[in-house]
Amino acid sequence: MRGVNAAYVELKERLGEIQDLQKTRSFLAWDQQVLMPAGGSGVRAEQIATLDRIAHSSFISAEIGRLLGRLEAFEAARPYDSDEASLIRVTRLDWEKARRVPADLRADMSRASSLALPVWAEARQNSDFSLFLPLLRQNLELRRRYVECFDAYDEPYDALLDDYERGTTSAEVRVVFDRLKTEQVPLVASGTREGSRPARDRPFSLEGQQKFELRVLERFGFDRTSWRLDPTVHPFASSLGIDDIRLTTRYHETNLDGLFGSLHECGHGLYEHGVSRTLERTPLARGTSFGLHESQSRLWENLVGRSLPFWRFFYPLLRETFPEALAAVELEDWYSSVNWVQPSPIRVEADEATYNLHVILRFELEQELLAGSVDLAELPELWNARMLEYLGIEPPNDRLGVLQDVHWAGGHIGYFATYALGNVISAQIWERLSAELPDLDDQFAQGEFGELRAWLTERLYRHGRKFTPKETLERVVGGPIDPGPYLRYLGTKLATLA
Amino acid sequence: MRGVNAAYVELKERLGEIQDLQKTRSFLAWDQQVLMPAGGSGVRAEQIATLDRIAHSSFISAEIGRLLGRLEAFEAARPYDSDEASLIRVTRLDWEKARRVPADLRADMSRASSLALPVWAEARQNSDFSLFLPLLRQNLELRRRYVECFDAYDEPYDALLDDYERGTTSAEVRVVFDRLKTEQVPLVASGTREGSRPARDRPFSLEGQQKFELRVLERFGFDRTSWRLDPTVHPFASSLGIDDIRLTTRYHETNLDGLFGSLHECGHGLYEHGVSRTLERTPLARGTSFGLHESQSRLWENLVGRSLPFWRFFYPLLRETFPEALAAVELEDWYSSVNWVQPSPIRVEADEATYNLHVILRFELEQELLAGSVDLAELPELWNARMLEYLGIEPPNDRLGVLQDVHWAGGHIGYFATYALGNVISAQIWERLSAELPDLDDQFAQGEFGELRAWLTERLYRHGRKFTPKETLERVVGGPIDPGPYLRYLGTKLATLA
């Protein structure tokens, strides 16, 4: 037993070092987007590649495999949900997937992404898909080679999806998405508002936005001992440790959309910050999947941040902050404004009713792309035709169409689905917690969010990556993924806004 | 020849990876002091230790030694000042020193420093030397063990000094410092100003300081494409690459001393930014020694930034920025104020005439400490007695005395001397460049610093660490270190100010 304990200590130490490298690597990426002077980009790409390479080769080493082998009895003797058994179990799955990918292919994928990103940015700027086409073709080809490394999946796309949502298949996602599409397309058609959204296109000072935003975030759980908030171009959340959470945000000068971006990123941060300290410096010290992570960003952004009780407390403060811009805007107008349903070409600006349709469109196209059933050169036309079918609008150009997202340039094929899964899961969790915490509306109206946060921490956050996404969802809501709650939530909300 | 070329390519690739790790490691330290929320400190110490460990073990590996061995003929066939021969030569010296230090000792030293730093901070806060004493004893003991790893030095202290100023001996430094002491002690005694410094203790807005500071830095060479300036508690300069230079600064609300700190750090940044791009990602991509580096921070801070021609251009702008605070302060008053000679207990706030004496005091004490000829418990009394002897003042407490500097807590014994060497070298370089660029005063009075920067880049900066400090100095000024120019500069300046 002593020998096995030593093996566990050694495994944990090795994984701790790899975690240090990965956290540092993502911090370099954080800096790249938040602070780095443009001149630093060449060396930065090398620094990131070096940390990637060392972390990957340390992880797929035979020594990790040997330690995992020696720890089989140790794992079996411990409860399934113990930190020890979970770390061994999850690491084994990670290791078995990672070591199937040749180092060369990994390097090719990383290099192709680095090269594609600036070309995509230029193509998007000029709305010129042909510029991006050869690099998209190459990224796709590399993903096909990646998929070929595995043989355990029902269909090729599953190998990609599994990187973001372990154990979830394309077939399962299709069932969920077909239901969403069937119900959301008519819902959007009937719920679309005419005219322009109230409380837009007026001056909101950046200082006022920063001040107000911090007041909200601090009530959500943000504190300066463990968090930072910095401005950037494309907001995201990152962390160096459980007590070093980095949110980024942006501000528009004529509307308050940036606020919702910050609430969204804060949700990601709360998940990372809520992981049990006993899991620090292990691969379990983060959210269990992209879908579960997104369920939390969407929950804090939408279920909380676009609710009427939330604004009962915060709207008077908002109006105090911007007395001129909001002089003629009553609480009800404001509530209507932040829940305005209107199809628009850009996913990240979409309202709650149309958002999933943007995602479904991408999920379907990705599968067709991977299968090779689509002529890549015709992708822009296909994109626009689907937009018309699902949302009733056509993007005026490729910049506002097929070129809008960074994901395909960065090689992230299989990622999009998790955005809509996150919406679905957020409502499932909300139904469950509302039943257990009946006073939430009153608490929100008093500016209190502690009980909500404590519930989510206890049921979800503290476990980090101990359980698979499916196990996690089962533990939190007592069942599998189900679009019912989200569709009910959406139907009710749209009815009250009509 | 083909095989040898491959060995060079491999050496460069390995050193590039090590450089990536070291740059990333120093970036983690930058963040620690500039941005990191306090909660991140525990994990951060692990992240830094991991990067240190991997970089060190990669560097001292037998494989690096084998490559260096295989490259002997390759090196001999190339000019001494070529990038290739220099990289091999300098790496061989680095490698031979580094591999003599057992990994355990290195880890002990790193751990002891991490533990000592917060204790020193507390001891300094409470002016309680006894709190710091056991940790100082331990750091000193570890340095003695470090010194024992080597046998090639004339005296033990040389092994430490060599880490900061390669190839320079304690005996050589003593000759320089004895001369400085002999001449500076009476110079200070006669040049000390009575009364309080003009243009202090009035409100200087932080916004105004930031704005003015950037106007100066931009004329020195700072540009947003390759530089950043961020606020911190203890200013320093750092870099992630030749085109990613990070300066930090601080602002006082009642004086403009922070400005000189920024000019100082900018001098360090200009050296790092001026290194030839062909040396990027190699261990040659930085200043050749701490002394040479300090010569550049002192040159831009003092020889330029405290000169009358500099202020002829900038004082009108400064007065425009702070019209109320400086209403009654004429250019001559201001010039006198920023060159005010008056002994004070704190080194980092010392004027040009007293600064070296602070350093000499530390240099002498360090040697006595290492030799064990001083009872550590009596260090505060010894410190105060020397202050009285050299500067004519006694610190009122240990916070303003023996506890003021972080260096001994961080294990940096052997470092202080380079500050005074930097002053000396700055004046040697200044004499040389003034002879070659006779119009400098006129250029400064026009706000032009390009010719000065170009001269320094061509003669010094671009070579990075290719040559030893002695070789470098010989190439720039045509001779060895010589306190004459600094003493002449100081004498002349004090005479004009009297």
Side-chain angles (χ1 to χ4, degrees), chain B residues 385-400:
Chain B
R386 298 268 169 101
M387 281 296 287
L388 193 61
E389 186 186 341
Y390 297 167
L391 286 162
I393 58 166
E394 250 190 307
N397 56 47
D398 291 343
R399 177 180 155 77
L400 299 174

Side-chain angles (χ1 to χ4, degrees), chain A residues 44-59:
Chain A
R44 181 58 52 88
E46 299 288 346
Q47 289 161 346
I48 289 178
T50 292
L51 290 182
D52 261 349
R53 192 161 45 234
I54 298 174
H56 181 68
S57 65
S58 302
F59 183 59

